[in-house]
Amino acid sequence: MNKHVILPGAAIGIIGGGQLGQMLAMSAKEMGYRVNVLDPNEHCPASCLADTFIHCAYDNVCGLTQLANCSDILTYEFENVSAEALKMIDSPNYLPQGTALLEMTQNRVNEKRFLQKLNLLIADFQVVTTVEELDEAVKKIGYPCVLKTATGGYDGKGQVVIKSIDDLAIAATLLKQSCVLEEWLTFDQEISVIVAGNIQGDYVTLPCGENIHQQNILHQTIVPARVSDDICEKASQLALKIAQELQLTGVLAIEMFVVGQQVYVNELAPRPHNSGHYSIEACDFSQFDLHIKGVCGLPLSKPHLLSPVVMTNILGQHLNESLQKMMAYPTWHFHYYGKEQSQIGRKMGHVTILTDDVEKTLAILDETNIWDKKGDN
Ligand SMILES: Nc1ncnc2c1ncn2[C@@H]1O[C@H](COP(=O)(O)OP(=O)(O)O)[C@@H](O)[C@H]1O
Ligand SMILES: [Mg+2]
């Protein structure tokens, strides 16, 4: 057996025990792996699933080494794991995903240069670090545009939309670090594709999802995406191209904008993604199954969509309403992550609805009034 094939019975160490780590752990356990988890919060969602739980910061080399020593391989649930700390782990244990992809996706500038090298369509951008550079870049790109920090952004954090000269001062407050100024695209839809790979070079994509954001946080994913077959095909092909170029192991999520017949790449995430949660019930292999199989060197087959589906996030402001209304919807799959503290805008769970009529399901979701609170009121 190839030494990179890790069979059930072995232990997988997951860096990060949030909901993504939790759902990864559930897939791994179903397949018969042992699971070890490292997280700074001892009550994190994945802690109760861990055979061994290591309570420390993500970049604590000692803790990471401890995790590696009790695991056959390591993986991570999110991209802000320190690549430097990972490189310092003094353990033979195999990090199938490597650190290069982490380093690339941790920085929007590197990510955009990689996408440019592959000749993929991306929003026009300029790298800026000073107010003068910002002024110059705005002249080139024009209004509206969006300034994003090169590192550390998520759910719209670390970015400012610049509609006119009046927004420049607030945008300039981001310039404590390198930023990218991006052209604002008037898109028809946002879509995403999750692609999985393994060391043997199998690459497969999950069905393309249509994503609806509210306040920059994913609200809903609808599959099949309400775009043409041609757009879905373009999106899957570009995902496969990226995966092959990276010799991807595990899953990578690719967020995209659809503008007319064109597909722009927005950003990459080298991990399971919120827009892939639908696949737990709606596909024969979920994104979490594919990630575990991918990093363990097991063969991958193209996942099939079993039913059209709508996934809707349950944020802090939706939690109580959703729990109260749960009894009324026996066919809905409610997932709660067991986070101790609920906050506005915090992802507390999600609901997945298999349906043969997406529009009707969207109308029913609307009528529940669970999602009336947008987070700004
Ligand atoms: N260049 C752009 N044109 C239009 N909308 C954008 C652009 N960049 C970001 N957005 C909107 O903001 C959301 C969050 O931006 P994104 O770059 O994906 O950052 P994050 O890391 O916060 O997810 C996107 O999903 C999209 O709705
Ligand atoms: Mg995004």
Side-chain angles (χ1 to χ4, degrees):
M1 183 82 64
N2 182 314
K3 74 176 166 78
H4 296 320
V5 175
I6 307 295
L7 291 175
I12 301 175
I14 306 176
I15 304 163
Q19 67 267 22
L20 300 176
Q22 181 187 48
M23 289 183 270
L24 276 173
M26 288 197 259
S27 271
K29 290 243 155 193
E30 243 174 48
M31 289 182 223
Y33 291 98
R34 285 178 293 129
V35 173
N36 304 319
V37 174
L38 178 152
D39 197 277
N41 173 4
E42 61 184 325
H43 303 295
C44 66
S47 61
C48 56
L49 295 163
D51 292 277
T52 303
F53 181 73
I54 294 164
H55 182 202
C56 71
Y58 303 118
D59 59 355
N60 180 323
V61 178
C62 226
L64 288 166
T65 305
Q66 216 184 321
L67 182 73
N69 286 343
C70 63
S71 308
D72 293 277
I73 54 163
L74 295 185
T75 186
Y76 47 82
E77 68 151 3
F78 77 140
E79 62 273 35
N80 286 323
V81 172
S82 161
E84 287 317 306
L86 279 175
K87 284 182 196 164
M88 283 161 69
I89 298 178
D90 184 22
S91 163
N93 287 355
Y94 183 53
L95 182 70
Q97 293 157 280
T99 50
L101 175 59
L102 257 185
E103 286 173 315
M104 190 259 279
T105 53
Q106 278 170 356
N107 187 311
R108 289 187 194 275
V109 179
N110 297 344
E111 191 173 291
K112 285 180 187 300
R113 295 209 165 118
F114 166 80
L115 294 167
Q116 274 180 324
K117 199 181 79 190
L118 285 188
N119 281 324
L120 296 172
L121 208 51
I122 57 172
D124 196 9
F125 76 97
Q126 297 276 319
V127 181
V128 296
T129 46
T130 63
V131 174
E132 294 71 37
E133 283 171 357
L134 176 63
D135 289 343
E136 276 304 302
V138 170
K139 274 186 209 136
K140 280 195 194 128
I141 289 184
Y143 298 108
C145 50
V146 52
L147 187 70
K148 302 181 182 178
T149 55
T151 61
Y154 68 97
D155 286 347
K157 294 185 176 63
Q159 51 181 279
V160 173
V161 178
I162 306 174
K163 292 186 181 141
S164 72
I165 195 164
D166 299 339
D167 299 321
L168 282 177
I170 179 107
T173 60
L174 295 181
L175 291 172
K176 291 176 198 96
Q177 59 156 296
S178 264
C179 289
V180 289
L181 184 77
E182 236 178 75
E183 149 193 30
W184 187 257
L185 293 169
T186 310
F187 53 77
D188 301 311
Q189 266 105 2
E190 289 196 81
I191 58 172
S192 58
V193 170
I194 289 155
V195 57
N198 62 11
I199 193 120
Q200 293 86 346
D202 299 330
Y203 301 109
V204 298
T205 54
L206 276 163
C208 171
E210 172 184 344
N211 299 327
I212 296 166
H213 290 84
Q214 286 182 351
Q215 268 86 35
N216 282 325
I217 303 175
L218 183 70
H219 168 54
Q220 240 158 17
T221 298
I222 301 167
V223 190
R226 293 170 297 178
V227 297
S228 67
D229 292 348
D230 180 48
I231 293 285
C232 276
E233 185 55 26
K234 272 188 188 153
S236 299
Q237 287 307 325
L238 79 79
L240 288 171
K241 184 171 174 178
I242 292 172
Q244 278 156 5
E245 177 68 21
L246 293 169
Q247 298 188 316
L248 178 71
T249 306
V251 295
L252 173 80
I254 302 159
E255 296 179 14
M256 297 171 247
F257 299 124
V258 179
V259 182
Q261 287 312 302
Q262 293 184 308
V263 179
Y264 285 73
V265 178
N266 173 26
E267 58 171 359
L268 309 179
R271 54 165 169 82
H273 192 260
N274 194 171
S275 69
H277 292 358
Y278 77 86
S279 60
I280 295 176
E281 287 90 6
C283 292
D284 50 356
F285 289 98
S286 75
Q287 61 167 345
F288 303 102
D289 301 335
L290 293 172
H291 185 77
I292 297 297
K293 289 180 79 177
V295 294
C296 289
L298 298 179
L300 301 174
S301 68
K302 175 140 179 83
H304 297 104
L305 187 67
L306 306 173
S307 160
V309 58
V310 178
M311 185 291 306
T312 307
N313 269 337
I314 298 170
L315 305 182
Q317 64 269 33
H318 313 132
L319 182 62
N320 286 338
E321 281 285 312
S322 81
L323 285 167
Q324 276 161 32
K325 301 225 164 116
M326 194 176 173
M327 299 302 280
Y329 301 99
T331 61
W332 293 10
H333 297 265
F334 286 88
H335 294 246
Y336 291 99
Y337 309 142
K339 293 183 185 175
E340 283 193 313
Q341 299 221 322
S342 170
Q343 273 165 29
I344 288 179
R346 186 164 196 216
K347 292 173 184 169
M348 303 303 290
H350 68 269
V351 57
T352 300
I353 308 172
L354 304 181
T355 173
D356 47 22
D357 187 340
V358 163
E359 300 305 327
K360 194 166 145 197
T361 298
L362 290 173
I364 293 170
L365 279 162
D366 217 34
E367 283 160 19
T368 64
N369 300 328
I370 295 172
W371 288 275
D372 289 358
K373 291 199 192 111
K374 308 283 186 229
D376 54 357
N377 51 10

